[in-house]
Amino acid sequence: MRACVDIGGTKVSVSLHAGGDDRVLLATRTEPTARSGTPDVLGRQVVRMVDEACAYLGIPSQSVQRAGVCAPGPFVLEQGAIALASPNLCGGLACGHDRSNDWRTVPLEAPLRHRFQQLRIENDAVAALEAERRWGALQALDHCAYVTWSTGVGSGLCVGGRVLRGKHGNAGHVGHIFVSDDTHAICGCGNVGDLEALVGGHAVAHRLGVPMSELLDAAQAGDAQAGQAVDAMCRVMGRALYDLIALLDLQRIALGGSVFFHHQALLLPRLIAQVRGRLASVTDGCELVPAGLGARVGDYGALALLD
Ligand SMILES: [Zn+2]
């Protein structure tokens, strides 16, 4: 048995997997992400949830010694071990929207190394990319990306068959590229006018005073003002997708994340319109498609890290 752990800003999901080629996840459990107390509470939560999953299946917890863990970035190294410096988890970072703690980092690798002999931790979008390449919409492609549009925006990138990681596993943080000097658009990371500040679910709700899902529902229902706001967001997001294609000469981008996934009929044509015809020699060979694994891309992302 191996453990698959998907850590998000709002929830932690833990499953066990028996090994082999199937994708059957066992004893899945989900809890709100621990975000108060000392920063090591998250690592302890993961270990407890894995042990509870073992107890549920009636197996000794020590029999689970491998874990694949996907978590929100950016990652930093503390004494050589991965810690999370995500503004969505750490209230102590410059402009974190969450003030329920004063953490600046959350140690992750160090506490999990005590529990698991084999451990792989990756950025959640990188893990999703690996799952999409293996089982989803990016199979058999050597030049591709997974882009998540959710409370935040992120990506996993693959060129020439190699998944890009960067010096600390932070490659693909497309949400924090600058796209505007809009001084009203402030990202949780502190940047003013970056992509996530303009289109991320958290930042949009903060700036416009309406939850992203309501805005998208209103646009879908024909509300003109909401429609304009969504068009503006898709112009920005579509340009970012174009930029990735132009930079990396991609064959396909798979799109996921709760914002995109629940309103793809509204968003996908608008995103495609921002890419089509621009530098056609490069973009004509690239498709934008919904992620194949849907809402399970997080769990399968963790599973994809285990082989
Ligand atoms: Zn940012």
Side-chain angles (χ1 to χ4, degrees):
M1 284 286 177
R2 308 96 60 84
C4 306
V5 180
D6 177 25
I7 297 172
T10 52
K11 67 180 176 64
V12 176
S13 173
V14 167
S15 304
L16 298 181
H17 181 256
D21 288 337
D22 70 61
R23 278 189 281 149
V24 179
L25 298 176
L26 304 168
T28 299
R29 54 211 54 237
T30 299
E31 290 183 5
T33 307
R35 31 197 342 150
S36 58
T38 52
D40 62 345
V41 68
L42 185 61
R44 283 189 277 117
Q45 178 182 28
V46 169
V47 168
R48 174 180 53 74
M49 289 175 73
V50 171
D51 290 346
E52 286 172 4
C54 292
Y56 178 83
L57 291 183
I59 60 171
S61 61
Q62 285 313 307
S63 66
V64 177
Q65 287 298 332
R66 285 185 74 191
V69 180
C70 46
F75 295 167
V76 292
L77 294 185
E78 293 180 337
Q79 290 160 352
I82 292 169
L84 310 179
S86 166
N88 290 334
L89 292 173
C90 300
L93 293 175
C95 281
H97 294 298
D98 186 327
R99 294 291 180 193
S100 58
N101 62 61
D102 61 356
W103 307 339
R104 300 189 65 79
T105 60
V106 175
L108 187 65
E109 185 175 355
L112 297 187
R113 284 260 171 240
H114 283 296
R115 170 64 181 78
F116 300 103
Q117 283 173 7
Q118 282 180 283
L119 176 66
R120 185 173 169 207
I121 300 172
E122 290 287 357
N123 177 273
D124 42 18
V126 171
L129 169 77
E130 297 210 3
E132 285 291 322
R133 290 191 75 215
R134 191 144 166 215
W135 301 296
L138 300 175
Q139 292 179 59
L141 297 176
D142 281 342
H143 317 286
C144 56
Y146 171 81
V147 173
T148 176
W149 185 359
S150 182
T151 51
V153 176
S155 75
L157 308 170
C158 179
V159 179
R162 282 189 56 211
V163 173
L164 306 185
R165 296 193 71 263
K167 64 187 187 298
H168 293 153
N170 292 321
H173 268 65
V174 69
H176 309 287
I177 60 172
F178 283 110
V179 291
S180 163
D181 55 5
D182 182 339
T183 55
H184 299 290
I186 301 170
C187 182
C189 77
N191 281 342
V192 173
D194 71 12
L195 176 62
E196 189 168 309
L198 285 154
V199 309
H202 258 315
V204 167
H206 210 247
R207 188 167 77 251
L208 302 182
V210 53
M212 181 71 123
S213 56
E214 278 181 32
L215 182 73
L216 293 163
D217 286 342
Q220 188 109 49
D223 180 280
Q225 207 179 345
Q228 281 176 10
V230 170
D231 285 346
M233 282 194 292
C234 286
R235 270 199 303 281
V236 172
M237 187 69 177
R239 284 176 193 162
L241 298 176
Y242 165 87
D243 290 348
L244 288 180
I245 298 165
L247 279 170
L248 301 174
D249 198 10
L250 301 175
Q251 296 163 292
R252 189 179 294 168
I253 296 177
L255 292 152
S258 60
V259 168
F260 177 80
F261 225 81
H262 293 128
H263 293 87
Q264 52 183 290
L266 178 73
L267 300 173
L268 187 57
R270 285 165 174 76
L271 296 175
I272 289 173
Q274 292 302 317
V275 172
R276 277 294 152 264
R278 294 211 167 106
L279 195 63
S281 50
V282 173
T283 58
D284 277 358
C286 184
E287 302 170 287
L288 303 185
V289 301
L293 299 173
R296 308 224 52 195
V297 74
D299 292 330
Y300 290 143
L303 178 60
L305 301 179
L306 285 167
D307 291 301

